[in-house]
Amino acid sequence: MVDDRKLDVLRAIVEDYVATEEPVGSKALVERHGLGVSPATVRNDMAALEDEGYIHQPHTSAGRVPTDKGYRLFVDKLATLKPMSTAERRAISTLLDGAVDLDDVVQKSVRLLSQLTRQVAIVQYPSLSRSTVRHIELVLLTPTRVMVILILSTGRVEQRLVELDEEIADTELAEVRVAVNQATAGVQIAAATTALGELPDAARPELADWLRSVVGVLTEAMSDHRSDERLAVGGTANLARYGDFDTAVRPLLEALEEHVVLLKLLGESGIDALTVRIGHEGPYSELAATSVVATGYGPQELHLGSLGVVGPTRMDYPGSMAAVRAVARYVSRILDEGNQ
Amino acid sequence: MVDDRKLDVLRAIVEDYVATEEPVGSKALVERHGLGVSPATVRNDMAALEDEGYIHQPHTSAGRVPTDKGYRLFVDKLATLKPMSTAERRAISTLLDGAVDLDDVVQKSVRLLSQLTRQVAIVQYPSLSRSTVRHIELVLLTPTRVMVILILSTGRVEQRLVELDEEIADTELAEVRVAVNQATAGVQIAAATTALGELPDAARPELADWLRSVVGVLTEAMSDHRSDERLAVGGTANLARYGDFDTAVRPLLEALEEHVVLLKLLGESGIDALTVRIGHEGPYSELAATSVVATGYGPQELHLGSLGVVGPTRMDYPGSMAAVRAVARYVSRILDEGNQ
DNA sequence: CTTGGCACTCGAGGCGAACGAGTGCCAGAG
DNA sequence: CTCTGGCACTCGTTCGCCTCGAGTGCCAAG
């Protein structure tokens, strides 16, 4: 049975522990939060909470520490998102509104998020696969070299060089340009790839070879999942604040190098679905001491990527959750504006 | 007076201290290096080296530790670059030859460098200001919106959006395209900027307004120093190996967030001029415990950027220097190939 | 169900002794 | 003049021991 007062006690324990980084005892608890009952009563509640696995005692005669299960209950039932201050809101909008291109948005977001939460922030670059083709440009550098530029709705630009077997004239290149753009403009990447594939056979036979070369490079650029896996990471220095070097900092520092690991940590959160993964709930046993607060972002209902913060399980969940959500909303809005 | 044997002793001290991370005593020294003299002799030499400031004793009855001055002498006089193993050479060439674009080259270099040296690696993106304009492309998205794409000789692509006050037709846009390309193709950024500036007045008056808009965005993109300041950082996890958290790791971790600081650390090293900055020799007193091994890179005599590693003063200089130089040469070569 | 009281536990921190790595110095040998 | 073995000395590290105190669990009374 978990009654209201026990929940209050749990909340107090989590808040104190997050603030002090030290096991919290019954006496300190009633002093610092006006619980209105005696330490002995709190002790009884604590014993019950411990039986049910919400808190844990490092050793006899020590204070209590929340378990992952305790944090989970706290996040699910007890935490109210800490509202952002107006100063913080203003910081977000002025910084992000000043971003000039996609790279800039991502880099500024990651910086912002790490400063707001004083934690390590991760922002995934907008996924290529869900965006649409805005335009394809072909530039003749020499008669046999064409620069192919792929512009996507998210503002991402990919460019590749194509070597042709045979010289191509400006007029012919113009035909090719029109053909690929007609087939792909405004179309989602996946559909665009198949549309491009059918192009060489459908077009004038004289153009077929050139089209094949160009299409080959384009489909490769479109299917290039490297860009889906790009991440920006910031705020690593915040790790320095944490004491527990070996269990908390080192594994995380190692994970931060492995972008594949980070992508898995961010997971596939939906828009507006703020996901909190606490300690062992995550996919990596080495990261049993770290939590992830993440959410998806993207204009309207389109999920373009995820962003979030990672840190020790003992983190300020309400604050982190609020900051992550606020930044995600701003980024979504900005991507929407650039896209209209 | 610094005779040969004293230098041998200093070299032995540096090597041992780098390997063990502990002050090294006279006895251990003669055992581990076949110095052919007795510990007492070594002690005399050590006393002399200490008088001259090359080594230092943390406290009486402790072993000796090299000072910054000692490392300096070691690097200048005693260190021979550790030759790369063939496996390492192969790793460099296969990894970097597989890079598809500029971003990829930089990211792979930083990864490579951090793995080779087991240290934090920093690679500066090729400087925009020293490269030349390869091509400028203008794409009509709507009659009043033009996407301006600037392609540089280094493979860097910058793109901006221009809103026109007045609608422009395809044929007129073509004129503008020809004009800006004629003025800039193959020209260095600085010269291109001035050439562009004169364009609106020289051209047909009907085009002037449009040219002005396009030129404005282009010059802004060219002078955008943000891209000059872009860095890739990798291997942060290697910091975890170092014990001295507060003096060595934390300040460095903080510096890694500040790209301005890192740029200053890398400094303006010339091509092939391998620069080693040891401890206090650097510009930041907080980083008195960290050293930088850096060099410039770029095809032929052109300095496009710098790359290097940073770590505690107690680092493997010969190995780091060799790795930094090897990677810089490979990167230079690849940039040269992509540029021909 | 709550509360005050009480005995108990156990880690943290202070103290001092023993240990040992490393030193500086000196006198003698080469 | 240089090298070497010997020796007394220094001083940080380690370990055991003790005390202190925060915090607990349990119990009997309100």
Side-chain angles (χ1 to χ4, degrees):
Chain A
M1 239 290 292
V2 180
D3 62 21
D4 278 0
R5 202 190 49 220
K6 286 209 202 99
L7 290 181
D8 279 346
V9 171
L10 178 58
R11 178 194 287 121
I13 291 174
V14 170
E15 286 173 359
D16 266 29
Y17 182 63
V18 166
T20 64
E21 197 163 347
E22 267 166 18
V24 9
S26 54
K27 194 171 145 202
L29 213 57
V30 293
E31 276 171 11
R32 309 198 359 180
H33 307 253
L35 289 185
V37 291
S38 79
T41 312
V42 172
R43 280 205 291 279
N44 289 331
D45 289 349
M46 283 165 116
L49 284 170
E50 181 157 23
D51 281 347
E52 293 167 61
Y54 294 115
I55 57 179
H56 165 249
Q57 224 177 6
H59 53 262
T60 333
S61 92
R64 300 310 215 290
V65 166
T67 60
D68 288 357
K69 191 178 170 190
Y71 285 122
R72 168 54 57 198
L73 186 63
F74 175 80
V75 168
D76 288 347
K77 295 259 174 69
L78 304 171
T80 54
L81 293 207
K82 217 177 266 175
M84 306 254 92
S85 72
T86 50
E88 284 169 330
R89 294 188 171 284
R90 208 171 36 238
I92 296 178
S93 55
T94 56
L95 187 69
L96 288 188
D97 285 344
V100 300
D101 63 11
L102 186 69
D103 263 17
D104 210 22
V105 171
V106 171
Q107 307 222 353
K108 280 181 171 158
S109 306
V110 82
R111 185 162 204 124
L112 191 58
L113 201 49
S114 69
Q115 283 171 355
L116 285 175
T117 61
R118 306 195 8 122
Q119 220 114 34
V120 178
I122 307 174
V123 177
Q124 185 182 8
Y125 278 72
S127 161
L128 198 144
S129 58
R130 315 231 177 160
S131 48
T132 60
V133 176
R134 185 187 279 170
H135 186 83
I136 294 170
E137 187 53 43
L138 306 176
V139 179
L140 209 54
L141 298 177
T142 73
T144 61
R145 297 180 96 191
V146 175
M147 160 94 41
V148 177
I149 302 166
L150 171 65
I151 305 169
L152 301 179
S153 57
T154 49
R156 175 177 289 288
V157 177
E158 295 275 328
Q159 47 70 34
R160 298 295 152 90
L161 213 57
V162 185
E163 297 280 351
L164 301 176
D165 300 328
E166 219 179 322
E167 296 198 358
I168 189 169
D170 260 347
T171 53
E172 293 162 329
L173 188 70
E175 280 191 68
V176 174
R177 182 186 297 124
V178 169
V180 292
N181 273 293
Q182 274 182 347
T184 58
V187 177
Q188 276 216 351
I189 291 283
T193 314
T194 56
L196 282 174
E198 295 161 3
L199 217 49
D201 297 328
R204 283 174 48 204
E206 304 92 282
L207 295 181
D209 273 353
W210 290 317
L211 267 173
R212 242 183 285 280
S213 304
V214 171
V215 164
V217 170
L218 275 172
T219 48
E220 185 225 302
M222 287 181 180
S223 67
D224 189 350
H225 280 239
R226 202 169 47 82
S227 41
D228 271 32
E229 291 165 3
R230 284 194 65 198
L231 289 176
V233 175
T236 327
N238 290 323
L239 287 179
R241 284 185 300 121
Y242 292 108
D244 219 343
F245 193 82
D246 278 328
T247 62
V249 179
R250 187 195 302 266
L252 188 48
L253 213 47
E254 278 162 13
L256 289 178
E257 292 283 311
E258 296 299 329
H259 284 190
V260 189
V261 172
L262 291 185
L263 280 166
K264 200 160 172 188
L265 276 185
L266 279 183
E268 272 285 322
S269 4
I271 307 276
D272 252 16
L274 201 52
T275 308
V276 179
R277 216 177 285 157
I278 298 165
H280 69 273
E281 296 173 8
Y284 296 101
S285 60
E286 307 84 36
L287 296 179
T290 77
S291 287
V292 182
V293 177
T295 186
Y297 68 83
Q300 275 101 41
E301 298 305 307
L302 194 61
H303 174 95
L304 287 185
S306 299
L307 56 80
V309 301
V310 299
T313 47
R314 175 183 53 65
M315 70 156 68
D316 171 18
Y317 291 97
S320 300
M321 290 165 74
V324 166
R325 203 175 61 179
V327 171
R329 288 190 174 164
Y330 254 93
V331 170
S332 300
R333 188 193 300 177
I334 285 183
L335 288 181
D336 204 14
E337 284 167 6
N339 198 18
Q340 72 210 348
Chain B
M1 238 292 291
V2 179
D3 62 22
D4 278 359
R5 200 188 53 216
K6 287 210 202 97
L7 289 180
D8 280 346
V9 170
L10 178 59
R11 178 194 287 121
I13 291 174
V14 170
E15 286 172 0
D16 265 28
Y17 183 63
V18 166
T20 64
E21 197 161 347
E22 268 166 17
V24 9
S26 54
K27 196 171 143 201
L29 214 57
V30 293
E31 277 170 12
R32 308 202 356 185
H33 307 253
L35 289 184
V37 290
S38 80
T41 311
V42 171
R43 279 204 291 280
N44 288 332
D45 289 348
M46 283 165 117
L49 285 170
E50 182 158 23
D51 281 347
E52 293 167 62
Y54 294 115
I55 56 179
H56 166 249
Q57 222 176 359
H59 54 261
T60 334
S61 92
R64 301 311 214 290
V65 166
T67 60
D68 288 358
K69 190 179 170 191
Y71 285 121
R72 169 53 59 199
L73 187 63
F74 175 78
V75 167
D76 288 347
K77 294 261 175 69
L78 304 171
T80 53
L81 294 206
K82 218 178 266 177
M84 306 254 92
S85 72
T86 50
E88 285 170 330
R89 295 189 171 282
R90 206 171 38 234
I92 297 178
S93 55
T94 56
L95 188 69
L96 288 187
D97 285 344
V100 300
D101 63 12
L102 186 67
D103 263 17
D104 209 23
V105 171
V106 171
Q107 307 223 353
K108 281 182 170 158
S109 306
V110 83
R111 183 163 206 122
L112 191 59
L113 201 48
S114 70
Q115 284 171 354
L116 285 175
T117 61
R118 304 192 17 121
Q119 221 113 32
V120 179
I122 306 174
V123 177
Q124 184 181 10
Y125 278 73
S127 162
L128 198 144
S129 57
R130 316 230 178 160
S131 48
T132 60
V133 176
R134 185 188 281 171
H135 186 82
I136 294 171
E137 187 52 43
L138 306 177
V139 179
L140 210 53
L141 298 177
T142 73
T144 61
R145 298 180 94 191
V146 175
M147 160 106 19
V148 177
I149 302 166
L150 171 65
I151 305 169
L152 301 179
S153 58
T154 49
R156 175 177 290 286
V157 177
E158 294 276 328
Q159 44 79 25
R160 297 295 151 91
L161 213 58
V162 185
E163 298 278 351
L164 301 176
D165 300 328
E166 219 180 325
E167 296 199 356
I168 188 170
D170 260 348
T171 53
E172 293 162 330
L173 188 70
E175 280 191 68
V176 173
R177 182 186 296 123
V178 169
V180 291
N181 273 295
Q182 274 181 348
T184 59
V187 177
Q188 275 216 351
I189 291 284
T193 313
T194 56
L196 282 174
E198 296 162 3
L199 217 46
D201 297 328
R204 282 174 50 203
E206 304 93 280
L207 294 180
D209 274 353
W210 291 317
L211 266 173
R212 243 182 284 279
S213 304
V214 170
V215 164
V217 170
L218 275 172
T219 47
E220 184 225 302
M222 286 180 180
S223 67
D224 187 352
H225 281 239
R226 203 170 46 84
S227 40
D228 271 31
E229 291 165 2
R230 283 194 65 199
L231 288 176
V233 175
T236 328
N238 290 323
L239 287 178
R241 284 185 299 120
Y242 292 108
D244 218 342
F245 193 81
D246 278 327
T247 61
V249 179
R250 187 194 304 266
L252 189 47
L253 212 46
E254 277 162 13
L256 289 178
E257 292 283 312
E258 296 300 329
H259 285 189
V260 189
V261 171
L262 291 185
L263 280 166
K264 201 160 171 188
L265 276 185
L266 279 184
E268 274 283 322
S269 5
I271 307 275
D272 252 15
L274 202 52
T275 309
V276 179
R277 215 177 287 155
I278 297 166
H280 69 271
E281 296 174 7
Y284 295 101
S285 59
E286 308 83 37
L287 296 179
T290 75
S291 287
V292 182
V293 177
T295 185
Y297 68 84
Q300 274 102 40
E301 297 306 308
L302 196 60
H303 173 94
L304 287 185
S306 298
L307 57 81
V309 299
V310 300
T313 46
R314 174 184 52 66
M315 71 157 65
D316 171 19
Y317 291 97
S320 300
M321 291 165 76
V324 166
R325 202 174 62 178
V327 172
R329 288 190 173 164
Y330 254 92
V331 170
S332 300
R333 189 193 300 176
I334 284 182
L335 289 180
D336 203 15
E337 283 168 6
N339 199 19
Q340 71 210 348

